[in-house]
Amino acid sequence: MIRIEVQIGCSSGNINYNFAMSLLIAGTVAFDSIETPFGKTERIIGGAATYCSLAASYFTDSSRVISAVGDDFPREYIRLLNDHGIDTTGLITIPGKKSFYWSGKYSEDMNFRETLVTELNVIEDFTPQIPQEYQDTEYLMLGNLAPDIQISVIEQLQIRPRLIVLDTMNFWIENTPASLKKVISMVDVLAVNDAEARQLSGEYSLPKAAKKIHALGPEYLIIKKGENGALLFSGKKMFFAPALPLEDVFDPTGAGDSFAGGFMGYLVKTGELNFESMKNAIITGAAMASFCVEKFGTDNLINLDKSAIYSRVREFSELVRFQDMEI
Ligand code: AMP
């Protein structure tokens, strides 16, 4: 593991923060009920932070979660995260409250889903408290969550992380646009899907949408296009990562969050932050998303190993490799 030592001065003297490429993931930890043409599940473990931290766990052993659940949330679900080396000190259980609950339904075209229920429950008046031991966070992934909570996480960190990545969705674009704009202005990378990029910018053309979103603050923009891959924009630079054409897609839930987990995991592991490393990171994200959709819920994500991930990444490079040519 790469360790970087820095000394900072503060009013109470010198603090020696021992950075260990630590990744903090804020997002929902939830109950999901999902219906696809291939089956139905009730109240399984879900949530943005769950998928993201599980995907990242294959790249770093120093990931932590900030979230809240109610006292209806089974201990074995939290143990599942711990078994993957994920620190859940920042995942608090609030007595007398119910956990975030989301339910969605997919039709034959699994690029589209209908949200049937979003119950914020414990998330509605959640004020995150960053544990002191999370103050050494170098990489911050703000997964799907209320923008005010995402802002509070950034503001509580005494040293700005090297990289802050934000994911959001239509629910927050529609319900909390002012807070969302504020948090967008505070981050380095914004990851949204194509419909959300259009909704946010009011532009149909994705390069035009990217220009407008850059103007809101983020240096990098990732636009996810489901089974049509993902685009990375930074200024005038653009890169495309395909999605792997899969024979069987059982459940796309969590694909975006697994993408984020793979993306962050790669950057944490290599420690390099530039357009070239972001290209590899989005291929890694696409690989993790491809595993996620092959089974229901987190079923596939929890049982991977590094060699399977490596082979999958190679499949991606085979998919797009071609020789330079003269025409
Ligand atoms: P994805 O398929 O990657 O967009 O993420 C699906 C996950 O996001 C599910 O596990 C849900 O629990 C969670 N989710 C759904 N709606 C929201 C929301 N409005 N805020 C935060 N998380 C959500």
Coordinates of all heavy atoms in Angstrom, one line a residue, residues 215-253:
A215 N -18.9 24.4 -16.8 CA -19.0 25.8 -16.3 C -19.5 25.9 -14.9 O -19.4 26.8 -14.1 CB -19.8 26.6 -17.2
L216 N -20.2 24.8 -14.4 CA -20.7 24.8 -13.0 C -19.6 24.4 -12.0 O -19.8 24.6 -10.8 CB -21.9 23.7 -12.9 CG -23.1 24.0 -13.8 CD1 -24.1 22.8 -13.6 CD2 -23.8 25.3 -13.4
G217 N -18.5 23.9 -12.5 CA -17.4 23.6 -11.6 C -16.5 22.4 -11.9 O -15.3 22.6 -11.9
P218 N -17.1 21.3 -12.1 CA -16.3 20.1 -12.2 C -15.3 20.1 -13.4 O -15.8 20.4 -14.6 CB -17.3 18.9 -12.4 CG -18.6 19.5 -12.0 CD -18.6 20.9 -12.2
E219 N -14.1 19.7 -13.2 CA -13.1 19.6 -14.3 C -13.4 18.4 -15.2 O -13.1 18.5 -16.4 CB -11.7 19.5 -13.6 CG -10.6 19.6 -14.6 CD -9.2 19.4 -13.9 OE1 -9.1 19.5 -12.7 OE2 -8.2 19.1 -14.7
Y220 N -13.9 17.4 -14.6 CA -14.2 16.1 -15.4 C -15.7 15.8 -15.3 O -16.3 16.0 -14.2 CB -13.4 14.9 -14.8 CG -11.9 15.1 -14.9 CD1 -11.2 15.6 -13.8 CD2 -11.3 14.6 -16.0 CE1 -9.8 15.7 -13.9 CE2 -9.9 14.7 -16.1 CZ -9.2 15.3 -15.1 OH -7.8 15.4 -15.1
L221 N -16.2 15.3 -16.4 CA -17.6 14.9 -16.4 C -17.7 13.5 -17.0 O -17.1 13.3 -18.1 CB -18.4 15.9 -17.3 CG -19.9 15.5 -17.5 CD1 -20.7 15.5 -16.3 CD2 -20.5 16.3 -18.6
I222 N -18.4 12.6 -16.3 CA -18.6 11.3 -16.9 C -20.1 11.2 -17.2 O -21.0 11.5 -16.3 CB -18.2 10.2 -15.8 CG1 -16.8 10.3 -15.6 CG2 -18.6 8.8 -16.4 CD1 -16.3 9.4 -14.4
I223 N -20.4 10.8 -18.4 CA -21.8 10.6 -18.8 C -22.0 9.2 -19.1 O -21.4 8.6 -20.0 CB -22.2 11.5 -20.0 CG1 -22.0 13.0 -19.6 CG2 -23.7 11.2 -20.4 CD1 -22.5 14.0 -20.7
K224 N -22.8 8.5 -18.2 CA -23.1 7.1 -18.4 C -24.2 6.9 -19.3 O -25.3 7.6 -19.2 CB -23.4 6.4 -17.0 CG -22.2 6.6 -16.0 CD -22.6 6.2 -14.6 CE -23.3 7.3 -13.9 NZ -23.7 7.0 -12.6
K225 N -24.1 5.9 -20.2 CA -25.1 5.7 -21.2 C -25.6 4.2 -21.2 O -25.9 3.6 -22.2 CB -24.6 6.0 -22.6 CG -24.4 7.5 -22.8 CD -23.4 7.9 -23.9 CE -23.7 7.4 -25.3 NZ -24.8 8.1 -25.9
G226 N -25.7 3.6 -20.0 CA -26.2 2.3 -19.8 C -25.4 1.3 -20.7 O -24.2 1.3 -20.7
E227 N -26.2 0.5 -21.5 CA -25.6 -0.5 -22.3 C -24.8 0.1 -23.5 O -24.2 -0.6 -24.3 CB -26.6 -1.6 -22.8 CG -27.6 -1.0 -23.7 CD -28.5 -2.1 -24.3 OE1 -28.3 -3.3 -24.0 OE2 -29.4 -1.7 -25.1
N228 N -24.9 1.4 -23.6 CA -24.1 2.1 -24.7 C -22.8 2.7 -24.2 O -22.2 3.6 -24.9 CB -25.0 3.1 -25.4 CG -26.2 2.5 -26.0 OD1 -26.0 1.5 -26.7 ND2 -27.4 3.0 -25.8
G229 N -22.4 2.3 -23.0 CA -21.1 2.8 -22.5 C -21.1 4.1 -21.8 O -22.1 4.5 -21.2
A230 N -19.9 4.7 -21.7 CA -19.8 6.0 -21.0 C -18.8 6.9 -21.6 O -17.9 6.5 -22.3 CB -19.3 5.6 -19.5
L231 N -19.1 8.2 -21.5 CA -18.2 9.2 -22.1 C -17.5 10.0 -20.9 O -18.1 10.2 -19.9 CB -19.0 10.2 -22.9 CG -19.6 9.7 -24.2 CD1 -20.7 10.6 -24.6 CD2 -18.5 9.7 -25.2
L232 N -16.2 10.3 -21.2 CA -15.5 11.1 -20.2 C -15.1 12.4 -20.9 O -14.6 12.4 -22.1 CB -14.2 10.4 -19.8 CG -13.2 11.2 -19.0 CD1 -13.7 11.5 -17.6 CD2 -11.8 10.4 -18.9
F233 N -15.4 13.6 -20.3 CA -15.1 14.9 -20.9 C -14.2 15.6 -19.9 O -14.4 15.6 -18.7 CB -16.4 15.7 -21.0 CG -17.4 15.2 -22.1 CD1 -18.4 14.4 -21.7 CD2 -17.3 15.6 -23.4 CE1 -19.3 13.9 -22.7 CE2 -18.2 15.2 -24.4 CZ -19.2 14.3 -24.0
S234 N -13.2 16.3 -20.5 CA -12.5 17.3 -19.7 C -12.0 18.4 -20.6 O -11.2 18.1 -21.5 CB -11.3 16.6 -19.0 OG -10.6 17.6 -18.2
G235 N -12.6 19.6 -20.5 CA -12.3 20.7 -21.4 C -12.6 20.2 -22.9 O -13.7 19.7 -23.1
K236 N -11.6 20.2 -23.7 CA -11.9 19.8 -25.1 C -11.6 18.3 -25.3 O -11.8 17.8 -26.4 CB -10.9 20.6 -26.1 CG -11.3 22.1 -26.2 CD -10.6 22.7 -27.4 CE -11.2 24.0 -27.9 NZ -11.4 25.1 -27.0
K237 N -11.1 17.6 -24.3 CA -10.8 16.2 -24.4 C -12.0 15.3 -24.2 O -12.9 15.6 -23.3 CB -9.7 15.8 -23.4 CG -8.4 16.4 -23.7 CD -7.3 15.8 -22.8 CE -6.3 16.8 -22.4 NZ -5.8 16.6 -21.1
M238 N -12.1 14.2 -24.9 CA -13.2 13.4 -24.8 C -12.8 11.9 -25.0 O -11.8 11.7 -25.8 CB -14.2 13.7 -26.0 CG -15.5 13.1 -25.9 SD -16.8 13.9 -26.9 CE -16.1 13.8 -28.5
F239 N -13.3 11.0 -24.2 CA -13.0 9.6 -24.3 C -14.2 8.8 -24.2 O -15.1 9.1 -23.4 CB -12.0 9.2 -23.2 CG -11.6 7.7 -23.2 CD1 -10.8 7.2 -24.2 CD2 -12.1 6.9 -22.1 CE1 -10.5 5.8 -24.1 CE2 -11.7 5.6 -22.1 CZ -10.9 5.0 -23.1
F240 N -14.3 7.6 -24.9 CA -15.5 6.8 -24.8 C -15.1 5.4 -24.3 O -14.1 4.8 -24.8 CB -16.1 6.6 -26.2 CG -17.2 5.6 -26.3 CD1 -18.4 5.9 -25.7 CD2 -17.0 4.4 -27.0 CE1 -19.4 4.9 -25.7 CE2 -18.0 3.5 -27.0 CZ -19.2 3.8 -26.4
A241 N -15.8 4.9 -23.3 CA -15.6 3.5 -22.9 C -16.9 2.7 -23.2 O -18.0 3.2 -22.9 CB -15.4 3.5 -21.4
P242 N -16.7 1.6 -23.9 CA -18.0 0.9 -24.3 C -18.5 0.1 -23.0 O -17.8 0.0 -22.0 CB -17.5 -0.2 -25.3 CG -16.0 -0.4 -24.9 CD -15.5 0.9 -24.3
A243 N -19.7 -0.4 -23.1 CA -20.2 -1.3 -22.1 C -20.0 -2.7 -22.8 O -20.0 -2.8 -24.0 CB -21.6 -1.1 -21.8
L244 N -19.7 -3.7 -22.0 CA -19.4 -5.0 -22.6 C -20.8 -5.6 -23.1 O -21.7 -5.7 -22.3 CB -18.8 -5.9 -21.6 CG -18.1 -7.2 -22.1 CD1 -16.9 -6.9 -23.0 CD2 -17.7 -8.1 -20.9
P245 N -20.9 -6.0 -24.4 CA -22.2 -6.6 -24.8 C -22.3 -7.9 -24.1 O -21.5 -8.8 -24.3 CB -22.0 -6.7 -26.3 CG -20.9 -5.8 -26.7 CD -20.0 -5.8 -25.5
L246 N -23.3 -8.1 -23.2 CA -23.5 -9.3 -22.4 C -24.6 -10.1 -22.9 O -25.7 -9.5 -23.4 CB -23.8 -8.9 -20.9 CG -22.7 -8.2 -20.2 CD1 -23.2 -7.6 -18.9 CD2 -21.5 -9.1 -19.9
E247 N -24.5 -11.4 -22.9 CA -25.6 -12.3 -23.3 C -26.8 -12.1 -22.4 O -28.0 -12.1 -22.8 CB -25.2 -13.7 -23.4 CG -24.3 -14.0 -24.6 CD -24.1 -15.4 -24.9 OE1 -24.9 -16.3 -24.4 OE2 -23.2 -15.7 -25.7
D248 N -26.5 -12.1 -21.1 CA -27.6 -12.0 -20.1 C -27.5 -10.9 -19.1 O -26.5 -10.8 -18.5 CB -27.7 -13.3 -19.3 CG -28.0 -14.5 -20.1 OD1 -29.0 -14.5 -20.8 OD2 -27.2 -15.5 -20.1
V249 N -28.5 -10.0 -19.1 CA -28.5 -9.0 -18.1 C -29.7 -9.3 -17.2 O -30.8 -9.3 -17.7 CB -28.6 -7.6 -18.8 CG1 -28.9 -6.5 -17.7 CG2 -27.4 -7.2 -19.6
F250 N -29.5 -9.5 -16.0 CA -30.6 -9.9 -15.1 C -31.2 -8.7 -14.3 O -32.4 -8.6 -14.1 CB -30.2 -11.0 -14.1 CG -30.2 -12.4 -14.7 CD1 -29.0 -12.9 -15.2 CD2 -31.4 -13.0 -14.9 CE1 -29.1 -14.2 -15.8 CE2 -31.4 -14.3 -15.5 CZ -30.3 -14.8 -16.0
D251 N -30.3 -7.8 -13.9 CA -30.8 -6.8 -13.1 C -29.8 -5.6 -13.1 O -28.7 -5.7 -12.5 CB -30.9 -7.3 -11.6 CG -31.2 -6.2 -10.6 OD1 -31.6 -5.1 -11.0 OD2 -31.1 -6.4 -9.4
P252 N -30.1 -4.5 -13.8 CA -29.2 -3.4 -13.9 C -29.1 -2.5 -12.6 O -28.3 -1.6 -12.6 CB -29.8 -2.5 -15.0 CG -30.9 -3.3 -15.6 CD -31.4 -4.3 -14.6
T253 N -29.8 -2.8 -11.6 CA -29.8 -2.0 -10.4 C -28.3 -2.0 -9.8 O -27.7 -3.0 -9.7 CB -30.7 -2.5 -9.3 OG1 -32.0 -2.7 -9.8 CG2 -30.8 -1.6 -8.1

